[in-house]
Amino acid sequence: MNYENILIEKEKNLAIITINRPKSLNALNKATIEELNHLLITLESDKETKAIILTGSGEKAFVAGADIKEFSNFNTSEGSQLAAKGQELLFDYVQNYSKPIIAAVNGFALGGGLELAMAAHFRTASSNARMGLPEVTLGLIPGYGGTQRLPQLIGKGRAMEMIMTAEMINADKALDFGLVNHVVEQSELLTFTKQIAQKITNNSSTAIGKAIKSINANYRDGINGFHEEIKCFGECFDTEDFKEGTTAFIEKRKAEFKGT
Ligand code: HXC
């Protein structure tokens, strides 16, 4: 597939994906969602790639939302389709991805942009970042999982207020709310986020995949997270990484994980 709306750069075991529609503040149109889905599918089976960083191009925006111009004349069924397809192709896929995905929020993360950052496994932000779910100003509600993930991350009362007022919060407040894990200067954001990602890639990727699955189990209907954890924990014992990790500990050396 020829990517027109996203850029991909690889650095050691990291893949850095940049949403690249700066003229529209990286708004997510249908094509961008399809390209992201395609690239993520490719990277999931790429043995070299151990972690992914998602960011936006330019200095102004991570993603300023779904592309308003694309859905402004939609009816109910088209609107439902938009949300359902987007959630399936991108937002749920990101949340349940087997490799870590970190959102590096480099500016505005609004509507679908914040929803994408929230679907990622965790978030870093630049000090100029502003985040919000302004959908009610358009006569809409969040449709890419925002009504579910925002209260999960910051609590119901804060989410209610953010969604009802449509107001943006700045990076420090997002840090205070636990919406992002770290705030750094914009010029340092990618380097800083890469350092965290590199630390992750030193660990067992099979174990990390199972940790993501277990943690997410708490947020999925009909699944008991404690049971999922026991299942995933048990499965770890069947992996080469488990043998390598425990042997390295006993032999007092650094483990070299193969991700198998
Ligand atoms: C389409 C967008 C856009 C968007 C910005 N642009 N956001 N185009 N969809 N979400 C475009 C503008 O139209 C403009 O293009 C260019 O990007 C620059 O934006 P400006 O508004 O001129 O910049 P500025 O004055 O600095 O304001 C920045 C901003 C504002 C505060 C971020 O652009 C803004 O409020 N954007 C919309 C944010 C929003 O409502 N997001 C939620 C969308 S709904 P032109 O060509 O005019 O110069 C959503 C639903 C998700 O996300 C669920 C779906 C199922």
Side-chain angles (χ1 to χ4, degrees):
M1 190 179 199
N2 219 3
Y3 300 128
E4 287 177 3
N5 301 287
I6 57 178
L7 305 170
I8 167 80
E9 183 197 332
K10 293 203 184 165
E11 207 176 295
K12 292 187 202 156
N13 291 325
L14 301 182
I16 297 111
I17 303 176
T18 305
I19 298 164
N20 187 34
R21 301 185 72 219
K23 285 190 190 134
S24 308
L25 302 187
N26 305 322
L28 288 178
N29 60 358
K30 185 167 172 270
T32 307
I33 289 180
E34 284 168 357
E35 288 180 17
L36 285 166
N37 171 268
H38 184 274
L39 178 57
L40 287 170
I41 291 173
T42 310
L43 293 174
E44 197 157 33
S45 57
D46 173 29
K47 286 206 164 60
E48 297 272 289
T49 303
K50 297 257 161 59
I52 292 169
I53 296 173
L54 255 184
T55 195
S57 80
E59 294 181 351
K60 200 165 163 185
F62 172 72
V63 170
D67 193 320
I68 300 168
K69 291 161 193 164
E70 207 176 56
F71 64 67
S72 58
N73 60 357
F74 276 13
N75 60 27
T76 289
S77 113
E78 290 166 317
S80 305
Q81 256 308 93
L82 176 79
K85 199 92 194 129
Q87 290 199 21
E88 182 197 329
L89 289 183
L90 187 59
F91 297 77
D92 286 353
Y93 188 36
V94 166
Q95 168 152 334
N96 297 307
Y97 204 67
S98 60
K99 302 178 184 187
I101 301 185
I102 309 170
V105 180
N106 58 308
F108 288 114
L110 301 175
L114 180 55
E115 292 175 295
L116 181 59
M118 292 193 293
H121 297 131
F122 62 90
R123 290 144 291 285
T124 56
S126 58
S127 53
N128 68 323
R130 316 257 326 258
M131 286 158 250
L133 293 178
E135 282 89 342
V136 296
T137 65
L138 300 167
L140 287 174
I141 66 166
Y144 285 146
T147 64
Q148 305 306 296
R149 293 192 182 97
L150 189 62
Q152 285 163 4
L153 286 163
I154 70 172
K156 186 177 169 189
R158 286 166 168 169
M160 285 278 190
E161 185 178 337
M162 274 183 71
I163 290 172
M164 290 194 268
T165 62
E167 275 182 5
M168 296 182 212
I169 58 171
N170 65 22
D172 285 339
K173 193 151 198 179
L175 183 64
D176 183 43
F177 280 5
L179 186 53
V180 301
N181 290 7
H182 305 273
V183 175
V184 297
E185 287 306 306
Q186 190 175 52
S187 56
E188 291 161 22
L189 181 66
L190 265 192
T191 310
F192 178 83
T193 310
K194 283 179 195 169
Q195 281 165 359
I196 302 180
Q198 287 297 354
K199 275 189 205 163
I200 294 173
T201 64
N202 291 335
N203 298 324
S204 159
S205 53
T206 54
I208 284 167
K210 291 181 198 305
I212 292 170
K213 205 170 168 195
S214 296
I215 294 167
N216 278 341
N218 186 42
Y219 302 97
R220 295 179 64 187
D221 279 347
I223 293 181
N224 180 311
F226 290 97
H227 292 172
E228 187 68 25
E229 183 185 275
I230 291 167
K231 184 169 163 279
C232 288
F233 179 78
E235 286 169 6
C236 291
F237 288 78
D238 257 349
T239 65
E240 291 298 319
D241 279 1
F242 163 70
K243 289 188 187 72
E244 168 62 9
T246 47
T247 307
F249 176 80
I250 291 162
E251 293 175 355
K252 297 188 188 298
R253 62 173 172 82
K254 198 169 171 293
E256 283 189 28
F257 292 114
K258 294 204 176 68
T260 52

